Amino acid sequence: MKVFKKIGWLFFIGLLLVVVYLAFNFVTFGSKQITAQSITPIRIDKSAVENFQKAIKIQTVSPENSIDFDSTQFDLFNTFLKESYPMVDSLLEKKVFNSYSFLYQWKGIDPSLKPIILMGHLDVVPVIEANKTDWRREPFGGEIKQDTIWGRGTLDDKVGVISIMEAVELLLKEGFKPDRSIYLSFGHDEELGGEAGAKTIARYLKEQGVRAEFVLDEGGSIVRGLIPGIKKDVALIGIAEKGSVSLDLTVKLEGGHSSMPEKETAIDVLATAIAKVKNNPFPAKITKPMKGFIEQLGPEMTFINKLAFSNQALFEPLIISTYEASTSGNALIRTTTSPTIFNSGVKENIIPLSASATINFRIIPETTVAQVKDRVKNLIADDRIKITLGSFNSEPSKVSNIDSFGYQKIHETIAEIYPDILVSPYLVIAATDSRHFEEVSENIYRFATITINPENIKSIHGLNERIPVQDFENAIRFYVQLIKNGTVKS
Ligand SMILES: [Zn+2]
């Protein structure tokens, strides 16, 4: 009896310790949000919206096939920028790269200060002809209906380019003089990988010995109603982006007639290999950007979520299984596996000699392309299958710090422009042009001043892309304020 009593007590004390430990972590898990006084919104001239409409109308499409590239549209866009932003055009130094990408330099007063780089891209993805009738407004019409501007590029990414240009023009008109230099970098082929645009610009800056204090590109956004346990809007600043690799798998075996099949055919071998890779997902991992997300947003969450996030070490399996439950959550915690192409066979009664397939992987930070390839090779463990790297591969980006000058200034500016918003670091699952700038700055951030909600989340690269006029105007206010906060010596 006595022994049981003792065990009972030990159990009770153990439980009490766990509760105290959880409670301590919960209570000390305080808010890390920067509190900033929100500023009175500056007046935005109606010409800004008109300029934005003009920009949407110019069809700067990056086509699937390079033969469809329409250079006249890009020339038009160049003319549009010159005419609409005369102060930027005359007062900033402009360099052109591969005919259609631009780098503007606004020289600061103090050359000892590192410059900042604001990025955007001029190109948009095509509007698929067959889907045109599903658009409720003309995709390149730039129409305004119910205080919303419609068209391809309103979210990705002409809003970035135009609000940056408007902000700089407005500041020049005011006679503002930055202490720190500002570069505006606009690539014209982001949707195709950014080789001719951003990559070339970054190489030039590196050759010039430019080291930037920070770089800000698209990638993150303001999300509304998309993060479980949080009611407020959240501004997500990408501090890293995933890499991408495609592996081509090929197998060549004896063919023959389908009436006398060998035990294994090329199709069987390849199908088995793909099933193996697919059934063995990459391990889940909470990488640095997601750790930052948990630490910055956890304190703002409702009880249960906050309890789990404040005790990350204990609840990691629970946190991971919660993320795994949705496709978007799953993409944040692991290298994902997507077979995208499978080719074999020509006739219904002929066993094909060969089969080939492609699997695309999106790689989380701290994993490499080589590691992905090795793991796949080991999983398949079949010498009959040749595994080669596809043509478009990129390593995951480095992870930028959140205690840097740049992150702090971006955070502060968001808090000033958008009252009652939360700010958090994040992992961007798509690719942006900023990945080409790793040798120009170690502080690369990805945040576009657009609001993403359950209604418009699929409109980027999809149908009915649109933005409320107010969001566009706030984007200009954001850049005006960011330039002031980020380039004036305090
Ligand atoms: Zn984009």
Side-chain angles (χ1 to χ4, degrees):
M1 260 320 260
K2 245 186 166 174
V3 175
F4 283 118
K5 223 174 179 180
K6 228 178 185 173
I7 291 172
W9 269 107
L10 278 175
F11 177 73
F12 177 71
I13 292 168
L15 193 68
L16 194 71
L17 282 174
V18 171
V19 171
V20 168
Y21 172 78
L22 293 179
F24 176 79
N25 286 340
F26 182 86
V27 171
T28 53
F29 199 43
S31 179
K32 292 165 191 77
Q33 298 293 309
I34 294 180
T35 44
Q37 198 77 40
S38 57
I39 51 169
T40 322
I42 53 166
R43 209 188 72 80
I44 304 296
D45 197 274
K46 71 174 193 337
S47 65
V49 174
E50 289 162 7
N51 286 336
F52 190 34
Q53 289 178 284
K54 281 185 208 163
I56 300 301
K57 284 180 190 159
I58 306 173
Q59 304 189 20
T60 49
V61 172
S62 271
E64 290 287 322
N65 293 319
S66 54
I67 193 150
D68 298 324
F69 179 78
D70 184 354
S71 64
T72 55
Q73 297 293 321
F74 287 84
D75 287 330
L76 275 176
F77 205 87
N78 187 13
T79 313
F80 154 76
L81 288 179
K82 273 188 204 161
E83 287 172 355
S84 309
Y85 305 102
M87 301 276 285
V88 176
D89 194 62
S90 59
L91 297 174
L92 271 56
E93 196 179 296
K94 181 183 180 185
K95 277 209 147 52
V96 180
F97 296 83
N98 289 317
S99 307
Y100 314 110
S101 286
F102 311 122
L103 178 71
Y104 295 91
Q105 187 191 3
W106 188 358
K107 280 212 175 84
I109 296 166
D110 185 347
S112 72
L113 294 172
K114 285 184 184 171
I116 69 167
I117 302 175
L118 304 177
M119 295 179 64
H121 62 88
L122 309 172
D123 59 328
V124 295
V125 291
V127 170
I128 297 166
E129 202 57 41
N131 294 342
K132 256 193 180 153
T133 49
D134 294 325
W135 278 74
R136 279 178 272 147
R137 306 278 162 216
E138 207 34 57
F140 292 101
E143 265 178 273
I144 298 179
K145 279 274 146 36
Q146 286 157 336
D147 295 319
T148 298
I149 310 164
W150 290 68
R152 178 62 86 228
T154 46
L155 296 174
D156 181 15
D157 175 41
K158 282 183 179 161
V159 61
V161 174
I162 301 303
S163 50
I164 290 171
M165 289 300 278
E166 290 289 339
V168 173
E169 185 80 3
L170 193 148
L171 286 166
L172 287 167
K173 269 187 203 151
E174 273 179 10
F176 175 80
K177 289 195 165 59
D179 290 319
R180 209 183 270 284
S181 289
I182 303 162
Y183 286 98
L184 316 178
S185 170
F186 301 136
H188 74 277
D189 62 346
E190 190 274 348
E191 301 293 358
L192 302 173
E195 290 286 323
K199 198 172 179 180
T200 316
I201 294 175
R203 196 183 306 125
Y204 165 80
L205 287 170
K206 194 194 161 203
E207 280 162 14
Q208 298 295 307
V210 173
R211 286 295 292 173
E213 182 59 49
F214 70 89
V215 172
L216 179 63
D217 193 11
E218 59 165 357
S221 62
I222 297 169
V223 294
R224 182 170 296 162
L226 289 172
I227 299 177
I230 289 192
K231 287 206 171 67
K232 289 183 181 181
D233 285 0
V234 181
L236 297 172
I237 304 173
I239 58 169
E241 65 187 60
K242 289 180 94 173
S244 174
V245 61
S246 289
L247 295 180
D248 296 328
L249 277 49
T250 47
V251 56
K252 284 195 174 79
L253 289 182
E254 288 288 298
H257 198 274
S258 65
S259 57
M260 290 185 300
E262 294 287 333
K263 249 198 181 136
E264 263 188 320
T265 68
I267 290 182
D268 300 329
V269 171
L270 198 59
T272 306
I274 289 176
K276 268 188 206 161
V277 179
K278 191 71 190 167
N279 293 335
N280 289 283
F282 278 73
K285 197 173 166 196
I286 297 182
T287 54
K288 210 174 142 196
M290 292 316 290
K291 265 203 179 84
F293 176 83
I294 287 168
E295 275 158 19
Q296 296 284 316
L297 285 186
E300 318 298 331
M301 287 184 165
T302 44
F303 180 78
I304 289 292
N305 291 297
K306 183 175 168 183
L307 185 69
F309 276 14
S310 62
N311 288 282
Q312 209 197 114
L314 217 62
F315 287 105
E316 190 165 313
L318 182 75
I319 295 171
I320 284 179
S321 68
T322 310
Y323 276 98
E324 279 175 332
S326 72
T327 46
S328 55
N330 187 49
L332 293 170
I333 53 161
R334 63 158 47 90
T335 297
T336 52
T337 305
S338 312
T340 47
I341 300 174
F342 198 114
N343 279 323
S344 189
V346 284
K347 202 170 183 295
E348 111 275 358
N349 62 352
I350 297 174
I351 293 172
L353 294 167
S354 65
S356 67
T358 299
I359 312 179
N360 181 250
F361 301 87
R362 296 302 173 100
I363 313 166
I364 53 171
E366 295 145 36
T367 301
T368 63
V369 167
Q371 284 169 338
V372 171
K373 193 182 170 198
D374 283 351
R375 184 172 185 275
V376 169
K377 198 165 181 271
N378 291 335
L379 274 177
I380 292 176
D382 187 336
D383 291 338
R384 293 171 298 177
I385 297 177
K386 210 171 104 199
I387 304 171
T388 49
L389 287 182
S391 51
F392 178 74
N393 306 304
S394 67
E395 297 286 353
S397 74
K398 289 180 192 151
V399 182
S400 301
N401 281 321
I402 66 167
D403 48 14
S404 69
F405 171 85
Y407 186 90
Q408 297 297 311
K409 289 298 166 192
I410 296 166
H411 187 164
E412 182 188 318
T413 308
I414 293 169
E416 284 172 339
I417 300 295
Y418 304 92
D420 213 26
I421 198 169
L422 301 170
V423 179
S424 172
Y426 198 61
L427 172 65
V428 174
I429 57 173
T432 74
D433 264 348
S434 70
R435 71 183 184 286
H436 301 302
F437 281 66
E438 287 199 339
E439 289 183 81
V440 179
S441 181
E442 59 187 7
N443 301 309
I444 296 179
Y445 303 102
R446 301 154 187 88
F447 172 69
T449 47
I450 55 174
T451 305
I452 300 298
N453 55 46
E455 277 92 67
N456 71 1
I457 191 164
K458 291 209 167 102
S459 70
I460 293 178
H461 291 206
L463 301 173
N464 295 306
E465 195 177 336
R466 61 198 183 274
I467 190 173
V469 171
Q470 204 196 350
D471 285 13
F472 168 64
E473 292 180 343
N474 281 337
I476 302 170
R477 295 183 180 113
F478 168 81
Y479 284 111
V480 167
Q481 193 60 19
L482 180 67
I483 290 172
K484 287 182 178 171
N485 290 340
T487 67
V488 177
K489 253 193 298 194
S490 49

